[in-house]
């Protein structure tokens, strides 16, 4: 596992965008694994700027997002589909048909999750997966627990995550209590993973990533088992 410690959020965003741009340049029809949340927004801004400047093109790129609330409509401004359209897809030359998110309105969520894993596999697997990290160490919506789930699945959100995400909703009651999320195996299927973290609220979780331990009470520590993971964080998250 490699650590890149940056001076500030902008540096994290630039570094992450450079790594993603290199993957796109090397393989114009690559598959991106994308994340929502506040952390990758700066990276998406950098990618938009590179696309507008003609440095990279998304015309043949496909994307699969990590997760989506359940239940939620794609038109709800708190859905992750809405977030991705607003923060990235509407501003780049990607074909919307090539952008994939789990369906927050799926009648049969289990079938939806199974089909999602199959679709990623059929597309050839994710070339680069972008991850944020919860302050409790969650990645995607794989929350701390005694056991973690390997494939994409429906899950309940912890009180901590509902509390953290309530900043985007009018009140905590309105935060959906469930989500569909890529599982640990789905994430580990990516050939390359970058995890972005900024701010002191992530320092506890990152400290455990820096230790030698692997534990399901901090799902991000399992990333130590993957052979191509880069953590890009600022000094506050690194604990300096
Ligand atoms: C989002 C996701 C979550 C976030 C995490 C950090 O798709 O899967 O695991 O990455 O909750 O969120 P922020 O970046 O808002 O601190």
């Amino acid at each position: 596992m490699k650590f890149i410690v940056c001076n500030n959020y902008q540096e994290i965003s630039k570094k992450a965008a450079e790594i993603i741009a290199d993957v796109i340049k090397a393989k114009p029809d690559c598959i991106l694994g994308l994340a929502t949340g506040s952390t990758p927004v700066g990276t998406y801004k950098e990618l938009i700027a590179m696309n507008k400047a003609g440095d990279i093109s998304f015309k043949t790129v496909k994307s699969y997002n990590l997760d989506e609330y359940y239940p939620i409509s794609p038109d709800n401004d708190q859905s992750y589909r809405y977030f991705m359209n607003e923060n990235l897809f509407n501003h780049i030359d990607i074909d919307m048909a090539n952008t994939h998110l789990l369906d927050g309105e799926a009648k049969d969520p289990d079938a939806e999750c199974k089909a999602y894993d199959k679709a990623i596999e059929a597309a050839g697997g994710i070339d680069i997966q972008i991850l944020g990290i919860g302050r409790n160490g969650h990645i995607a919506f794989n929350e701390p627990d005694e056991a973690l789930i390997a494939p994409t699945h429906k899950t309940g959100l912890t009180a901590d995550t509902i509390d953290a995400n309530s900043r985007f909703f009018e009140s905590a009651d309105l935060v959906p209590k469930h989500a569909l999320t890529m599982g640990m195996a789905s994430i580990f299927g990516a050939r390359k993973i970058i995890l972005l973290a900024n701010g002191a609220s992530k320092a506890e979780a990152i400290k455990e990533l820096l230790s030698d331990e692997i534990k399901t009470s901090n799902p991000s520590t399992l990333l130590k088992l993957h052979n191509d993971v880069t953590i890009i964080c600022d000094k506050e998250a690194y604990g300096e």
Side-chain angles (χ1 to χ4, degrees):
M1 188 179 287
K2 193 171 140 196
F3 274 83
I4 300 176
V5 183
C6 300
N7 287 313
N8 52 47
Y9 178 68
Q10 207 187 351
E11 230 180 89
I12 295 176
S13 304
K14 273 196 189 314
K15 189 72 219 165
E18 273 167 26
I19 294 172
I20 298 162
D22 284 347
V23 172
I24 296 173
K25 282 178 194 163
K27 188 176 174 190
D29 60 347
C30 66
I31 307 207
L32 304 180
L34 300 176
T36 56
S38 31
T39 315
V41 170
T43 304
Y44 296 154
K45 284 202 174 112
E46 294 290 335
L47 290 173
I48 292 166
M50 286 179 187
N51 185 224
K52 292 211 185 306
D55 296 338
I56 49 169
S57 168
F58 291 84
K59 277 195 178 128
T60 50
V61 168
K62 289 195 183 107
S63 72
Y64 287 86
N65 262 79
L66 282 171
D67 41 19
E68 177 61 283
Y69 286 123
Y70 188 84
I72 202 159
S73 143
D75 304 325
N76 184 316
D77 62 6
Q78 293 306 329
S79 76
Y80 286 172
R81 163 51 81 181
Y82 191 94
F83 175 99
M84 288 309 302
N85 289 352
E86 287 288 303
N87 286 287
L88 184 63
F89 300 150
N90 286 344
H91 311 286
I92 57 174
D93 61 352
I94 201 162
D95 179 349
M96 276 292 182
N98 285 339
T99 67
H100 306 277
L101 275 94
L102 284 148
D103 178 4
E105 293 185 309
K107 291 218 165 51
D108 182 344
D110 294 338
E112 169 68 10
C113 292
K114 277 202 182 92
Y116 201 70
D117 277 340
K118 275 209 177 120
I120 293 173
E121 202 187 314
I126 289 170
D127 290 293
I128 179 164
Q129 176 67 56
I130 297 125
L131 294 177
I133 183 171
R135 56 194 187 187
N136 63 4
H138 74 218
I139 50 175
F141 277 124
N142 296 282
E143 299 279 14
D145 210 334
E146 274 177 29
L148 301 176
I149 312 282
T152 296
H153 59 280
K154 182 179 163 202
T155 185
L157 307 190
T158 63
D160 187 62
T161 298
I162 291 172
D163 174 50
N165 290 8
S166 65
R167 67 191 194 274
F168 301 115
F169 290 81
E170 270 173 41
S171 78
D173 304 348
L174 294 174
V175 184
K177 306 290 178 287
H178 292 88
L180 306 183
T181 181
M182 275 169 65
M184 298 305 289
S186 320
I187 294 169
F188 269 64
R191 286 181 266 283
K192 187 179 189 63
I193 298 177
I194 56 174
L195 182 146
L196 319 181
N198 68 294
S201 68
K202 306 291 170 74
E204 266 310 303
I206 297 288
K207 195 170 152 192
E208 292 185 337
L209 259 183
L210 283 159
S211 80
D212 288 337
E213 286 185 351
I214 291 167
K215 48 189 181 186
T216 60
S217 58
N218 179 339
S220 73
T221 60
L222 270 81
L223 292 171
K224 293 170 198 181
L225 298 169
H226 191 283
N227 64 5
D228 190 350
V229 177
T230 304
I231 315 292
I232 311 173
C233 61
D234 64 5
K235 289 178 179 163
E236 285 78 22
Y238 193 69
E240 266 182 15

